[in-house]
Amino acid sequence: MDRAELAAFLRRRREQLRPEDVGLLPGTRRRTAGLRREEVASLAAMSTDYYTRLEQRRGPQPSEQMLTALARALRLNNDEHDYLFQVAGRTAPSPAATAAHVAPALLRVLDRLSDTPALILSNLGEVLVRNRLAEALYGGPAEYTGLARSEIYRWFTDPRERLIYPEHDRDRQSRALVASLRAAHGSMGPRSRAGDLVRALTRESEEFAQLWERHEVAKRFEDHKVLVHPQLGDIEVDCQALFTEDQSQALLVLTAPPRTEAFEKLQLLAVLGNERFDDPVPGPAAHAQKAEPGPGLTG
């Protein structure tokens, strides 16, 4: 671990960013340009004291999880991301680990979306980051590991994953997820994480195995669907996806036309936050009271 270089690199990258670059208000009383240490720490979900010690060359060696969080907070590109790991004395990330590094261009767009649910996913349906309204819509963050990080895997192995969709639309979602996985499998190859996912699901889910044999391939750039919220009931939304150039990641934005019931419900999400109450709003979605859903790129 090169403490001096790590400290200098972190400090320089922090000074090069502006609050608006990471979705923060500029504010007042800023003596110098760049982000404050406490702002970087908050973005990386770590204590200000811990981050400060890193910049002062006296912190402990950061874990890979900490480095990934710092790379995301500082909006590092792939080369900078790898360099951060190297100066911290960690092995440069494998392609699988690098795939979880959010594309800075998508992050910049997400930073500016504070009034509607938005999230960034990998091409395997792994949630990489999402804003506050997306958490309110889909539920609080969950710690998944291994194959379960993919919503495609959870969809075919955990019945709770389907509760956010009306029952009549779940078959369509199943087909869409399999079609998107086949597209990812085609670009990543059978020896990739996509191949691991296909082999596991073929063993564990008869439904998946049957759909995989249909050889349907599709990526959705837009969609119209209904999502079921435990308290607000059915919410009819338009979904628009913005892909990176290599189509390995996508920013999914959910909106509703102004002055509609769905639009009002999305606004209400900002008030509800991640709270869950005992009695859901009456209506066709009442069955989803105990939902613990995950988001879907393709459905």
Side-chain angles (χ1 to χ4, degrees):
M1 176 179 173
D2 188 337
R3 293 180 184 276
E5 180 58 25
L6 175 62
F9 182 68
L10 291 175
R11 184 173 61 254
R12 183 58 175 165
R13 289 298 300 138
R14 173 174 63 83
E15 292 172 349
Q16 290 175 342
L17 288 173
R18 300 292 183 270
E20 53 270 28
D21 295 336
V22 296
L24 300 175
L25 296 176
T28 57
R29 299 181 181 178
R30 287 186 177 269
R31 298 178 181 177
T32 58
L35 297 181
R36 300 186 177 104
R37 285 173 175 167
E38 58 266 30
E39 291 171 334
V40 175
S42 177
L43 290 168
M46 62 181 62
S47 71
T48 301
D49 177 68
Y50 181 91
Y51 178 77
T52 299
R53 283 186 288 149
L54 289 177
E55 280 203 8
Q56 293 177 345
R57 310 183 188 183
R58 56 187 182 90
Q61 184 183 33
S63 66
E64 293 182 2
Q65 292 81 2
M66 283 289 191
L67 293 171
T68 297
L70 281 170
R72 184 174 298 169
L74 293 170
R75 305 306 193 250
L76 303 185
N77 61 34
N78 286 336
D79 291 335
E80 294 166 336
H81 175 268
D82 289 353
Y83 183 74
L84 176 65
F85 272 69
Q86 292 163 2
V87 298
R90 299 290 182 184
T91 303
S94 65
T98 303
H101 179 55
V102 182
L106 292 187
L107 265 180
R108 287 194 293 271
V109 179
L110 179 68
D111 288 337
R112 287 156 176 76
L113 296 172
S114 59
D115 60 349
T116 196
L119 55 156
I120 298 175
L121 304 101
S122 74
N123 58 353
L124 298 182
E126 301 156 329
V127 177
L128 304 179
V129 63
R130 56 186 180 180
N131 66 9
R132 187 171 62 90
L133 287 182
E135 282 199 1
L137 177 60
Y138 290 109
E143 296 298 328
Y144 295 110
T145 59
L147 295 176
R149 292 182 59 234
S150 167
E151 66 144 351
I152 304 173
Y153 180 83
R154 299 195 307 274
W155 179 268
F156 289 101
T157 59
D158 185 351
R160 294 174 300 173
E161 190 74 10
R162 304 191 176 205
L163 295 179
I164 197 169
Y165 287 92
E167 187 172 358
H168 65 80
D169 198 35
R170 293 173 188 172
D171 288 343
R172 184 181 75 108
Q173 174 69 356
S174 293
R175 289 181 60 183
L177 289 174
V178 175
S180 70
L181 178 56
R182 185 170 284 280
H185 186 269
S187 62
M188 298 173 69
R191 296 186 178 181
S192 65
R193 292 186 303 131
D196 294 340
L197 195 56
V198 170
R199 285 186 288 273
L201 284 173
T202 300
R203 292 192 305 267
E204 299 177 35
S205 171
E206 183 179 351
E207 178 191 7
F208 175 85
Q210 293 176 350
L211 291 174
W212 186 252
E213 288 302 313
R214 299 175 70 132
H215 289 266
E216 294 178 337
V217 185
K219 292 182 179 180
R220 289 197 202 180
F221 291 87
E222 59 182 353
D223 192 18
H224 181 84
K225 61 185 176 183
V226 174
L227 297 177
V228 180
H229 187 272
Q231 281 71 52
L232 301 179
D234 292 356
I235 306 177
E236 193 171 350
V237 295
D238 293 311
C239 307
Q240 190 73 41
L242 175 64
F243 286 85
T244 53
E245 184 176 359
D246 63 1
Q247 299 198 2
S248 64
Q249 295 179 10
L251 170 65
L252 184 67
V253 183
L254 310 178
T255 61
R259 298 177 297 280
T260 62
E261 181 182 6
F263 180 84
E264 293 176 357
K265 287 182 177 181
L266 290 181
Q267 301 306 300
L268 188 55
L269 282 174
V271 179
L272 289 178
N274 291 331
E275 294 185 32
R276 292 292 184 264
F277 305 96
D278 291 336
D279 297 321
V281 172
H287 67 279
Q289 181 175 353
K290 296 183 180 180
E292 297 178 5
L297 167 64
T298 55

